[in-house]
């Protein structure tokens, strides 16, 4: 860990299991992604630690896509991704800080009436790159109490084709900038337990090349309308987790997430329905060696009144510290 790995022992080894922030995928297909933290991500890492991670994930959503002209079709969307992330811990002033960059590789698979009747398919390729910075104004390592704030910038670097935006964006990229502000609190509890609480708001730039739920009548029948501007309102997420360290190398945790907002409209039309989803997650965090960690999570919806409901989300992240 930049020359410090050999000196990281005991309590530090357990803390480092959750150092790397974990961005989950809980939003409506191609429109909004919730930012899910790992159960121990609220703990500030020591300066000098470098983290390299690879996360593979699969998220499945199903429901009905509105494709315009009063029509909706059944659809199941599977999104598989591999996210490569590189991060570095340092001191900002006299406060702990962590910065990372992430690049995803995304593959969409669409089935149901949306694929068969409208000949829609999903894209695959490089997704939008992200840059994040977290700072901890409060870091009391003796009491195990941390208060952190973070900012995220998502840039439209991913592959994007407008013909994959009828009903929903099925591109690896979103063709717009987005930003997230987040605050979180973490507290160590007796008997090996850890508790955390976080909230964030996500804001979106406009996508000026989007079809959405609009079709027109052409010589061959209904065809997608010309691309126009997609606007999306801010998206709010709230999450809490309770973790238990049964062994210095093993942490088990449960999380609960509340996702709200992100109503959208195209071409200045009416605002569509917001995301309204409650989810839970189960986590296992394991230290394979002093420098290698593996984090596994499974997430499902408790209640979901979104157009596409979350069926499940599975993530596996391998982290190597230097």
């Amino acid at each position: 860990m930049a020359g410090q790995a050999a000196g990281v022992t005991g309590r530090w080894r357990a803390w480092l299991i959750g150092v790397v922030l974990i961005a989950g995928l809980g939003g409506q297909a191609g429109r909004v992604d919730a930012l899910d933290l790992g159960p121990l991500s609220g703990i500030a890492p020591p300066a000098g630690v470098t983290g390299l991670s690879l996360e593979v994930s699969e998220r499945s959503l199903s429901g009905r896509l509105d494709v315009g002209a009063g029509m909706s079709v059944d659809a199941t969307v599977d999104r598989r991704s591999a996210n490569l992330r590189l991060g570095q811990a340092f001191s900002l002033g006299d406060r702990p800080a962590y910065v990372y960059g992430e690049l995803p590789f995304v593959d969409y698979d669409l089935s149901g009436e949306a694929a068969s009747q409208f000949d829609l398919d999903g894209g695959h390729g490089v997704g939008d790159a992200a840059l994040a910075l977290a700072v901890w104004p409060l870091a009391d390592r003796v009491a195990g109490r941390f208060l952190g704030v973070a900012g995220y910038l998502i840039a439209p670097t991913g592959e994007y084709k407008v013909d994959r935006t009828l009903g929903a964006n099925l591109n690896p990229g979103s063709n717009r900038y987005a930003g997230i502000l987040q605050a979180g609190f973490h507290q160590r509890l007796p008997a090996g337990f850890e508790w955390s609480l976080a909230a964030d708001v996500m804001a979106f730039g406009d996508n000026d090349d989007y079809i959405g739920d609009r079709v027109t009548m052409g010589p061959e029948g209904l065809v997608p309308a010309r691309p126009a501007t997609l606007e999306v309102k801010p998206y709010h997420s709230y999450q809490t987790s309770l973790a238990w360290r049964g062994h210095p190398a093993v942490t088990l945790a449960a999380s609960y997430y509340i996702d709200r907002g992100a109503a959208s409209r195209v071409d200045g039309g009416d605002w569509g329905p917001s995301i309204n989803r409650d989810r839970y997650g189960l986590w296992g965090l394991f230290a394979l060696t002093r420098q290698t960690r593996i984090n596994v999570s499974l997430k499902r919806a408790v209640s979901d009144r979104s157009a596409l409901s979350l069926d499940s989300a599975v993530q596996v992240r391998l982290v190597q510290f230097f």
Side-chain angles (χ1 to χ4, degrees):
M1 301 182 189
Q4 297 185 15
V8 178
T9 58
R11 184 173 58 183
W12 276 112
R13 289 206 302 270
W15 279 351
L16 288 175
I17 295 174
V19 160
V20 178
L21 302 179
I22 298 176
L25 298 166
Q28 190 165 329
R31 192 177 78 174
V32 174
D33 288 344
L35 182 63
D36 297 347
L37 297 180
L40 304 181
S41 292
I43 299 174
V49 171
T50 299
L52 177 64
S53 71
L54 175 65
E55 178 192 88
V56 292
S57 65
E58 181 170 4
R59 179 189 62 179
S60 180
L61 302 102
S62 62
R64 299 189 67 82
L65 282 180
D66 189 350
V67 294
M71 295 184 300
S72 61
V73 292
D74 290 326
T76 297
V77 179
D78 294 310
R79 184 186 191 274
R80 291 174 287 273
S81 67
N83 294 2
L84 185 65
R85 179 179 297 180
L86 178 64
Q88 176 72 38
F90 62 102
S91 294
L92 188 61
D94 60 348
R95 298 291 86 194
Y98 192 78
V99 64
Y100 74 76
E102 181 174 86
L103 187 65
F105 299 85
V106 182
D107 178 69
Y108 274 107
D109 183 46
L110 180 69
S111 58
E113 293 176 340
S116 60
Q117 295 186 13
F118 286 84
D119 196 27
L120 300 179
D121 62 354
H124 62 275
V126 178
D128 291 340
L131 181 66
L133 172 65
V135 181
W136 284 262
L138 172 63
D140 186 340
R141 302 194 187 279
V142 176
R145 186 177 300 118
F146 299 85
L147 176 65
V149 293
Y152 305 78
L153 176 65
I154 303 169
T157 59
E159 180 183 318
Y160 184 88
K161 294 182 179 179
V162 69
D163 58 5
R164 295 197 183 110
T165 64
L166 177 61
N169 179 21
L170 298 178
N171 285 290
S174 60
N175 196 41
R176 67 182 176 201
Y177 282 94
I180 303 172
L181 291 177
Q182 184 176 70
F185 177 77
H186 184 96
Q187 177 64 60
R188 186 170 66 240
L189 303 176
F193 285 93
E194 308 270 351
W195 173 72
S196 63
L197 180 69
D200 59 70
V201 59
M202 187 175 189
F204 308 90
D206 293 343
N207 179 351
D208 294 323
D209 202 17
Y210 196 86
I211 297 173
D213 56 350
R214 299 173 307 117
V215 294
T216 59
M217 181 63 71
E220 299 180 355
L222 291 173
V223 296
R226 63 172 181 82
T229 298
L230 169 70
E231 301 171 82
V232 181
K233 290 184 176 181
Y235 177 52
H236 302 85
S237 294
Y238 312 90
Q239 53 190 291
T240 186
S241 69
L242 183 65
W244 176 64
R245 294 175 176 172
H247 182 274
V250 178
T251 299
L252 304 178
S255 300
Y256 195 84
Y257 311 90
I258 298 174
D259 306 321
R260 299 289 187 270
S264 66
R265 67 178 180 180
V266 182
D267 202 19
D270 295 334
W271 290 100
S274 299
I275 291 177
N276 193 333
R277 176 182 293 134
D278 288 19
R279 303 174 287 130
Y280 72 88
L282 302 176
W283 295 78
L285 292 79
F286 309 99
L288 304 181
T289 70
R290 296 170 91 186
Q291 296 159 283
T292 306
R293 312 287 184 261
I294 186 167
N295 304 337
V296 181
S297 68
L298 169 66
K299 298 163 191 172
R300 294 184 180 274
V302 176
S303 64
D304 197 339
R305 295 189 291 276
S306 308
L308 290 177
S309 299
L310 177 68
D311 295 328
S312 64
V314 180
Q315 296 158 306
V316 179
R317 182 183 291 275
L318 180 66
V319 185
Q320 180 70 38
F321 295 106
F322 302 93

